[in-house]
Amino acid sequence: MKVIVCKDYQEVSEKSAEIVAQVMKDKPNAVLGLATGSTPEGMYAKLVEMNRKGEIDFSDITTVNLDEYFPISPDNDQSYRYFMNKNLFDRVNIDKSRTNVPNGAANDGEAEAARYEAFVRSLGGADIQVLGIGRNGHIAFNEPDVELVPVTHVTGLTPDTIDANARFFASADEVPTHALTMGMGTILSAKKIIILANGKGKHNAVMKMLKGTVTTMCPASFLNLHDDVTLVVDEECYNG
Ligand code: PGA
């Protein structure tokens, strides 16, 4: 795994945006695999800025997001669809019909998971997948466990993740208990992967991943099975 150590969050955002922008320049109809959470917000702001300056063009881009709460309405301001519209899709020249987030409002979660998996595979996987990492080593909603599901699936959220996400809701009781998420196999089908991390809270998870071995107890460690992964990390997170 390649590691880019940045001096601060701003630099993490700039470096990761540059990597995504390069993929878009090389392939104007690229498939971008995108992530939500606080970590990539600065990267999205940078991509919006680059689009406004005419440096990058989203008109032929397709996007696939990693995950979505389940059940949740896309209009709910805590849904990941809402997050993506607000942080990126509504602010760049993208064709919204080519932006894809698992449908949190589907009647049948398992059927939606199967549809989404088939759709991502039909695209041949993402040209680049952007990832965050949970403080427990999760990737998307693939939580540490004795077994992991390789494909897109419905999953329960761990108490740690509910607790970490409670900051976005009025109370922990309001955090949805389930989610639709790509599996590690779906994620590893991307041609190129960048994983972003900042702050001390992610230090232990990042170190476990960088050890180079693979364990289901740290889903991020599965990225060691892929030969084009770049960690973009700030000094605070890297040094602990
Ligand atoms: P965060 O979430 O960017 O909000 O820290 C990342 C994650 O949990 O995957």
Side-chain angles (χ1 to χ4, degrees):
M1 185 174 302
K2 190 175 158 199
V3 182
I4 300 176
V5 182
C6 302
K7 67 175 192 305
D8 55 16
Y9 176 69
Q10 178 65 24
E11 201 177 304
V12 168
S13 302
E14 285 165 11
K15 283 272 182 271
S16 50
E18 275 166 29
I19 296 170
V20 173
Q22 193 56 53
V23 170
M24 295 172 65
K25 286 173 189 167
D26 291 345
K27 189 174 176 186
N29 64 346
V31 177
L32 307 182
L34 301 176
T36 54
S38 21
T39 313
E41 278 179 355
M43 182 197 77
Y44 291 135
K46 193 76 201 154
L47 289 172
V48 168
E49 193 185 310
M50 292 167 104
N51 183 235
R52 294 212 169 130
K53 286 185 186 156
E55 292 166 11
I56 50 172
D57 177 17
F58 284 83
S59 59
D60 286 329
I61 292 291
T62 296
T63 66
V64 287
N65 261 77
L66 287 171
D67 50 6
E68 177 61 285
Y69 288 121
F70 186 77
I72 199 162
S73 157
D75 303 327
N76 185 315
D77 65 5
Q78 292 308 323
S79 75
Y80 289 174
R81 162 54 76 178
Y82 189 97
F83 174 101
M84 289 310 303
N85 287 347
K86 185 175 72 156
N87 284 281
L88 187 68
F89 302 152
D90 286 343
R91 304 172 68 195
V92 295
N93 68 326
I94 199 161
D95 174 353
K96 272 268 189 75
S97 70
R98 277 209 283 265
T99 66
N100 300 278
V101 180
N103 181 10
N107 287 329
D108 181 339
E110 300 297 340
E112 170 58 11
R115 180 199 70 81
Y116 200 76
E117 178 71 18
F119 175 70
V120 175
R121 297 291 179 159
S122 75
L123 296 172
D127 288 293
I128 182 168
Q129 176 67 58
V130 177
L131 299 174
I133 181 171
R135 58 192 183 187
N136 63 0
H138 75 206
I139 294 289
F141 281 114
N142 297 279
E143 304 284 359
D145 207 336
V146 290
E147 291 183 334
L148 296 178
V149 181
V151 295
T152 306
H153 57 285
V154 178
T155 185
L157 272 48
T158 62
D160 187 63
T161 297
I162 291 175
D163 179 50
N165 290 10
R167 68 190 192 276
F168 300 115
F169 291 82
S171 74
D173 296 344
E174 290 183 25
V175 184
T177 53
H178 288 75
L180 285 155
T181 183
M182 285 188 194
M184 288 311 302
T186 334
I187 292 164
L188 290 169
S189 75
K191 296 174 185 75
K192 182 182 188 71
I193 295 175
I194 57 170
I195 176 161
L196 282 48
N198 71 291
K200 276 193 175 47
K202 303 284 176 73
H203 174 74
N204 288 342
V206 164
M207 287 305 128
K208 254 191 212 162
M209 173 180 75
L210 288 178
K211 213 177 139 205
T213 51
V214 173
T215 166
T216 59
M217 299 317 286
C218 177
S221 70
F222 274 65
L223 299 178
N224 290 307
L225 297 172
H226 195 287
D227 62 10
D228 189 356
V229 181
T230 303
L231 167 68
V232 188
V233 63
D234 73 347
E235 282 171 5
E236 193 184 313
C237 178
Y238 192 71
N239 297 329

